[in-house]
């Protein structure tokens, strides 16, 4: 009889019994996944703004900053996490550091694209009104750079959610932690559930950030409608 | 990481014993090249015709562009893990190859589509005005002009596939990733660095080979391009 408890024994792909009996494990893994991703993207953003400002100062700064952040992206994630091991040990900060380094490629470019897109006339008008460099950055340039910046944040977040799974190699991979041992034991329901949750997480994060983007930059929608 | 670790990696690579046998560099390198080469070729065979065709007919733009964003959300590790708990696990390198194909198709497709749409519309209109058929337009105007962008996309996909193929080691499949995981499990940092260096070198080599291959094809199309500019 295909009872409620037989799908675990039968090792089915879809198993509600698995979700209910391991809900605590699933919640813990999801929570870890979310905070590792959020911490990585937030720190990545905090690091990428000064880097983008540095890259903007001229070609002799832009080339090394962009070159280095692009180079980082080609380092295999497995190697990145393994190489950081002597520095951090088996810790979440290891995974966060690796993910921050990856996010820089997308975020620095996003911030730069946003800052480059600020119209020259606007900056000249602000300068004419007596705005200093700091006030100009905070009140004129960064707000106008928001659409491109947030587009970068969305891409970085979605790829970070996916990459976090590789953190399973040090036992700090959020939902990846459930996937790795389930491969060894051929536990189908666990692999599928954790994978689907991971994709859903990326989707939800993307939609949330889209909402944030719309709230923060209402002018982009009216402009699009007017055009 | 100081010179000590790099020096250690150099020593590891210099030891002939590390190159021989099933877990040796030669075998892992061969597996890596086979798996990523096959995956890239299959991904190109699927993605380029579809992307170029969509770009040519000018339809499905939203799909072609969004598919690479959607692809980003799918972890390669999870896809590989799913294959490894399915009957595919007994099919040799197939799980890795299929996972890498799924990973490489979206960006290749988007890039091919964008490359073709970036071709100057006035040139396309002119060619159409000269009475070129859709097929002539594609082969003689759009494809030669889009080639540069499409090849750039293929190169970046190739580098990403070579880097990502290391993930296969996490589910016990072959490739250079195994050198990294083996070093990781035995706290052998020089071996981890050596594995990462080998992957990086392979990626650079692949990029170099593709640039050279591109140059070999380029002169003829550049010649055609100047001729066409003279005509128009």
């Amino acid at each position: 009889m295909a009872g409620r408890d037989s799908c675990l024994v039968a090792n089915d792909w879809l198993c509600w019994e698995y979700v209910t009996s391991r809900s605590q494990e699933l919640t813990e893994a999801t929570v870890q996944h979310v905070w590792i991703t959020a911490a990585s993207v937030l720190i990545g953003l905090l690091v990428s703004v000064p880097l983008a400002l540095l890259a903007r100062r001229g070609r002799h700064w832009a080339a090394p900053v962009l070159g280095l952040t692009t180079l980082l992206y080609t380092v295999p994630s497995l190697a990145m996490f393994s190489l950081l091991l002597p520095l951090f040990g088996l810790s979440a900060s290891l995974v966060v550091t690796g993910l921050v380094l990856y996010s820089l490629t997308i975020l620095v470019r996003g911030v730069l694209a946003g800052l480059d897109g600020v119209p020259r006339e606007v900056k000249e008008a602000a300068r004419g009104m007596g705005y200093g460099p700091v006030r100009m950055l905070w009140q004129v340039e960064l707000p106008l750079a928001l659409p491109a910046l947030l587009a970068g944040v969305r891409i970085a977040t979605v790829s970070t959610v996916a990459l976090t799974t590789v953190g399973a190699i040090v036992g700090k991979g959020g939902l990846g932690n459930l996937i790795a041992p389930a491969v060894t034991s051929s536990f189908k329901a666990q692999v599928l559930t954790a994978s689907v949750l991971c994709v859903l997480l990326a989707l939800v994060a993307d939609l949330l950030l889209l909402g944030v983007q719309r709230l923060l930059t209402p002018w982009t929608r009216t402009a699009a409608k007017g055009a | 990481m100081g010179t000590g670790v790099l020096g250690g990696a150099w020593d590891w690579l210099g030891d002939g014993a590390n190159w021989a046998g099933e877990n040796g560099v030669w075998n892992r390198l061969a597996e890596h090249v086979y798996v990523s080469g096959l995956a890239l070729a299959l991904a190109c065979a699927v993605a380029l015709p579809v992307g170029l065709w969509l770009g040519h007919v000018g339809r499905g733009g939203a799909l072609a562009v969004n598919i690479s964003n959607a692809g980003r959300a799918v972890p390669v590790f999870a896809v590989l893990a799913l294959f490894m708990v399915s009957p595919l696990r007994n099919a040799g390198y197939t799980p890795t190859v299929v996972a890498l194909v799924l990973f490489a198709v979206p960006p290749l497709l988007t890039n091919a589509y964008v490359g073709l749409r970036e071709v100057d519309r006035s040139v396309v209109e002119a060619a159409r005005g000269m009475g070129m058929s859709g097929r002539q337009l594609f082969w003689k105007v759009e494809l030669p002009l889009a080639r540069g962008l499409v090849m750039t996309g293929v190169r970046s996909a190739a580098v990403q596939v070579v880097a990502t193929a290391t993930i296969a080691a996490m589910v016990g499949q072959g490739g250079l990733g195994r050198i990294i995981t083996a070093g990781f499990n035995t706290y052998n940092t020089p071996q981890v660095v050596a594995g990462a260096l080998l992957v990086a070198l392979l990626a650079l080599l692949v990029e170099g080979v593709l640039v050279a291959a591109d140059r070999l094809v380029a002169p003829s199309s550049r010649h055609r391009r100047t001729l066409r500019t003279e005509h128009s």
Side-chain angles (χ1 to χ4, degrees):
Chain A
M1 205 178 86
R4 216 167 57 89
D5 53 354
S6 65
C7 68
L8 278 176
V9 180
N11 198 12
D12 288 337
W13 284 103
L14 295 167
C15 182
W16 187 245
E17 173 74 13
Y18 164 74
V19 179
T20 50
S21 65
R22 311 284 178 94
S23 62
Q24 198 188 345
E25 199 180 54
L26 281 166
T27 314
E28 276 167 15
T30 310
V31 168
Q32 186 183 64
H33 208 114
V34 170
W35 81 254
I36 285 180
T37 303
S40 307
V41 175
L42 278 176
I43 298 173
L45 195 59
L46 287 178
V47 177
S48 62
V49 171
L51 278 179
L53 290 176
L54 192 67
R56 206 168 56 140
R57 300 191 78 155
R59 188 168 290 185
H60 55 291
W61 284 110
V65 168
L66 291 178
L68 197 69
T69 50
T70 309
L71 192 72
L72 281 173
Y73 205 69
T74 61
V75 177
S77 45
L78 197 61
M80 178 82 93
F81 292 145
S82 307
L83 289 175
L84 291 170
L85 187 67
L87 297 174
F88 293 93
L90 295 168
S91 68
S93 39
L94 181 158
V95 179
V96 171
T97 307
L99 293 173
V100 165
L101 291 175
Y102 283 124
S103 73
L104 291 181
T105 314
I106 299 160
L107 290 174
V108 170
R109 272 158 209 276
V111 178
L112 259 184
L115 291 176
D116 284 347
V118 177
R120 186 185 295 248
E121 311 89 73
V122 175
K123 281 193 274 187
E124 269 165 23
R127 205 169 288 136
M129 286 165 71
Y131 277 59
V134 177
R135 210 172 139 214
M136 166 97 86
L137 181 69
W138 278 106
Q139 298 188 353
V140 178
E141 290 180 297
L142 280 180
L144 285 174
L146 265 183
L149 195 154
L150 287 172
V153 170
R154 280 176 65 194
I155 298 177
T157 306
V158 170
S159 15
T160 304
V161 170
L163 263 179
T164 301
T165 53
V166 181
I169 189 170
V170 293
K172 304 282 178 191
L175 291 159
N177 288 346
L178 300 180
I179 298 176
V183 171
T184 322
S185 59
S186 256
F187 192 173
K188 290 177 183 169
Q190 182 156 319
V191 175
L192 187 65
T193 311
S195 304
V196 168
L197 277 177
C198 199
V199 175
L200 280 179
L201 214 55
L203 197 75
V204 170
D206 195 43
L207 287 176
L208 276 178
L209 285 169
L210 180 68
V212 171
Q213 192 177 359
R214 295 214 161 165
L215 274 176
L216 288 180
T217 60
W219 67 88
T220 52
R221 268 180 300 159
T222 40
K225 254 178 233 163
Chain B
M1 268 167 298
T3 45
V5 176
L6 275 181
W10 187 249
D11 290 340
W12 191 91
L13 287 172
D15 186 351
N18 293 326
W19 289 71
E22 203 212 331
N23 294 316
V25 173
W26 286 124
N27 183 41
R28 295 306 182 199
L29 185 66
E31 286 176 329
H32 207 98
V33 169
Y34 172 74
V35 163
S36 32
L38 184 60
L40 186 71
L42 289 174
C44 283
V46 174
L48 296 186
V50 175
L52 291 171
W53 182 74
L54 287 176
H56 174 67
V57 297
R59 268 191 231 140
L63 171 87
V65 173
N66 285 323
I67 192 172
S68 62
N69 291 334
R72 247 183 246 277
V74 183
V76 179
F77 173 48
V79 175
L80 256 174
L82 284 170
F83 288 150
M84 290 308 282
V85 291
S86 77
L88 261 188
R89 74 179 305 162
N90 300 318
Y93 297 114
T94 313
T96 314
V97 174
V98 179
L100 288 176
V101 169
L102 292 175
F103 165 77
V105 160
L108 279 171
L109 200 152
T110 303
N111 208 71
Y113 173 84
V114 171
L116 214 73
R117 296 312 293 173
E118 293 274 291
V119 172
D120 193 343
R121 286 296 104 189
S122 57
V123 174
V124 175
E125 293 301 314
R128 212 167 256 147
M130 285 164 68
M132 277 196 179
S133 68
R135 183 176 296 208
Q136 283 175 318
L137 182 70
F138 176 77
W139 287 108
K140 294 188 170 168
V141 180
E142 290 178 316
L143 193 57
L145 288 177
R147 210 205 74 244
L149 268 177
V150 175
M151 278 310 291
T152 308
V154 171
R155 281 206 302 276
S156 84
V159 171
Q160 287 296 311
V161 164
V162 168
T164 307
T166 50
I167 304 274
M170 284 184 79
V171 295
Q173 288 264 328
L176 289 171
R178 286 294 281 276
I179 291 174
I180 298 173
T181 48
F184 182 86
N185 291 334
T186 53
Y187 294 95
N188 186 347
T189 309
Q191 184 177 340
V192 172
V193 180
L197 279 176
L198 286 168
V199 178
L201 281 176
L202 184 61
L204 279 176
L205 190 71
V206 167
E207 168 111 32
V209 167
L210 286 174
V211 168
D214 197 31
R215 291 241 172 95
L216 279 178
V217 190
S220 59
S221 63
R222 197 177 299 148
H223 178 62
R224 259 183 272 141
R225 196 175 303 163
T226 43
L227 274 183
R228 203 180 307 118
T229 330
E230 279 160 18
H231 277 295
S232 57

